[in-house]
């Protein structure tokens, strides 16, 4: 697929719920190399909007780990914890256009539909202790993922996502869309576990009149139990003292051509890998076994 004529702006957007692990390094590296191979910028956004799930010190550990792996971002780190006013303003816009609504449904009430909210309470006004949801409607969303191919999601399949939680915290779907636009992101390379979320995010981009972005969802690294390596499941933290080897392993998972023997520093390795980056060589499925 040909690249857009607009300048490429990519990003990595970790949540500080724990240190990076090899799975998050694979995602960071893929988005970094795709940006560099396209002579683009690579921005860093810390998605620190969920304090109950944060681990003290994790944001700094993540930044150090990226630096130790040579993954230097362009510009300043963008902190979502400082963005409440922008999120509130966009929510107000959605209320004005009648695309957001209050919802007091409990998880138990949604259990019969597997947690999917298809709008039963869309007209109930503003009850106490409510979340705010986006009205998705019947219009299907179609998009073309650079790796996973053409995608289509119908409203009935994805339901209405939460934009602000009952506890008053802004939800990931809202924050990610508002900030991708604020940072001028053109290209998102991230784990395939977020493929379905892209449909919500495209709905939201359209509802807010924001630019659309190109998506590339790469497979996730799974452990022996078949589950995605994650901070929540205590995947081992990256050992920064083995950064060169970690990067080589990440390149192997991405099925990129291995670097020649004479390459033995991190800057050389990253430079070489960006010059030989082949997106189409990444396995197109959803999982890569860690072992
Ligand atoms: N913060 C999300 C995570 O750590 C990633 C969000 C995104 O790339 O859109 O899983």
């Amino acid at each position: 697929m040909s690249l857009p004529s607009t300048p490429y702006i990519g990003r990595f957007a970790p949540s500080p719920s724990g240190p990076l692990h090899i799975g998050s390094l694979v995602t960071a590296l893929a988005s970094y190399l795709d940006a560099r191979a396209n002579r683009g910028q690579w921005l860093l956004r810390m998605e620190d909007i969920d304090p109950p799930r944060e681990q003290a010190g994790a944001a700094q550990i993540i930044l150090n780990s990226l630096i130790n792996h040579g993954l230097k971002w362009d510009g300043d780190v963008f902190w979502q914890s400082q963005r409440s006013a922008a999120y509130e303003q966009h929510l107000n816009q959605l209320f004005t256009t009648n695309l957001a609504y209050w919802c007091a449904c409990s998880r138990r009430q949604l259990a019969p539909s597997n947690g999917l909210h298809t709008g039963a309470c869309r007209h109930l006004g503003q009850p106490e202790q409510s979340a705010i949801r986006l009205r998705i409607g019947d219009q299907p969303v179609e998009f073309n993922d650079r790796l996973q191919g053409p995608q289509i999601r119908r409203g009935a399949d994805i339901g209405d996502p939460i934009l602000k939680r009952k506890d008053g915290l802004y939800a990931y779907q809202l924050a990610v869309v508002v900030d991708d636009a604020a940072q001028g992101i053109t290209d998102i390379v991230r784990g395939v576990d977020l493929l379905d979320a892209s449909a919500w995010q495209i709905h939201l981009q359209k509802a807010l009149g924001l630019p659309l972005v190109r998506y590339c969802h790469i497979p996730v690294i799974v452990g022996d139990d078949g589950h995605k390596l994650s901070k929540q499941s205590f995947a081992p933290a990256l050992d920064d003292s083995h950064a060169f080897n970690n990067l080589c392993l990440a390149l192997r998972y991405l099925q990129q051509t291995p670097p020649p023997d004479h390459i033995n520093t991190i800057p050389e390795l990253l430079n070489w890998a960006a010059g030989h980056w082949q997106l189409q060589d990444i396995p197109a499925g959803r999982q890569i076994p860690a072992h």
Side-chain angles (χ1 to χ4, degrees):
M1 183 186 294
S2 63
L3 286 162
S5 49
T6 49
Y8 181 118
I9 305 181
R11 49 62 159 188
F12 180 56
S15 306
S17 49
L20 297 182
H21 49 78
I22 187 69
S24 28
L25 181 69
V26 167
T27 307
L29 182 64
S31 69
Y32 174 90
L33 292 176
D34 198 54
R36 294 294 182 239
N38 288 294
R39 304 201 186 325
Q41 293 183 56
W42 188 66
L43 309 185
L44 189 75
R45 181 167 73 232
M46 196 55 74
E47 300 211 316
D48 54 343
I49 43 161
D50 193 352
R53 287 181 64 186
E54 263 170 46
Q55 202 186 88
Q60 199 51 53
I61 294 172
I62 289 173
L63 297 179
N64 290 344
S65 218
L66 290 170
I67 291 168
N68 287 327
H69 286 78
L71 300 173
K72 189 65 197 80
W73 54 92
D74 296 305
D76 295 333
V77 179
F78 191 100
W79 299 86
Q80 285 195 324
S81 52
Q82 297 170 11
R83 298 277 298 153
S84 301
Y87 303 148
E88 202 55 41
Q89 187 200 325
H90 284 84
L91 273 182
N92 289 338
Q93 185 184 332
L94 292 169
F95 273 117
T96 309
T97 49
N98 202 24
L99 289 169
Y101 66 95
W102 298 95
C103 164
C105 294
S106 63
R107 271 181 210 195
R108 180 143 27 111
Q109 282 170 300
L110 296 177
S113 58
N114 285 331
L116 209 69
H117 193 283
T118 47
C121 70
R122 270 175 192 165
H123 304 290
L124 287 186
Q126 181 188 333
E128 296 279 299
Q129 287 283 307
S130 292
I132 298 173
R133 287 186 188 267
L134 175 70
R135 201 186 299 283
I136 287 288
D138 305 325
Q139 204 62 4
V141 147
E142 292 183 52
F143 61 104
N144 198 10
D145 188 271
R146 288 170 66 202
L147 202 57
Q148 307 295 330
Q151 306 290 320
I152 179 161
R153 299 288 184 284
R154 286 164 227 288
D157 300 331
I158 59 175
D160 291 354
I162 288 185
L163 303 176
K164 190 173 185 183
R165 295 168 12 184
K166 279 185 192 175
D167 59 9
L169 293 175
Y170 297 97
Y172 158 69
Q173 311 295 346
L174 175 71
V176 76
V177 164
V178 170
D179 289 341
D180 281 333
Q183 293 187 278
I185 301 301
T186 61
D187 282 80
I188 294 178
V189 178
R190 63 184 176 192
V192 76
D193 52 317
L194 290 169
L195 183 63
D196 288 341
S198 299
W200 282 327
Q201 292 170 22
I202 293 168
H203 268 291
L204 198 45
Q205 286 153 4
K206 290 181 176 168
L208 289 166
L210 299 173
L212 302 180
V213 300
R214 288 198 322 163
Y215 291 99
C216 175
H217 287 88
I218 66 168
V220 294
I221 310 296
V222 295
D224 295 337
D225 59 359
H227 288 115
K228 179 193 166 200
L229 297 187
S230 74
K231 298 167 196 159
Q232 285 78 28
S233 63
F234 305 105
L238 277 181
D239 179 349
D240 288 356
S241 66
H242 293 123
F244 188 90
N245 290 344
N246 295 338
L247 289 165
C248 288
L249 178 59
L251 283 175
R252 274 209 297 284
Y253 283 140
L254 292 167
Q255 285 190 13
Q256 300 298 298
T257 317
D261 287 347
H262 66 84
I263 298 250
N264 45 34
T265 69
I266 288 175
E268 280 172 352
L269 177 63
L270 291 174
N271 218 0
W272 190 91
H276 293 80
W277 177 240
Q278 296 291 345
L279 186 82
Q280 66 275 12
D281 286 353
I282 300 177
R286 292 186 160 243
Q287 300 189 341
I288 300 174
H291 300 114

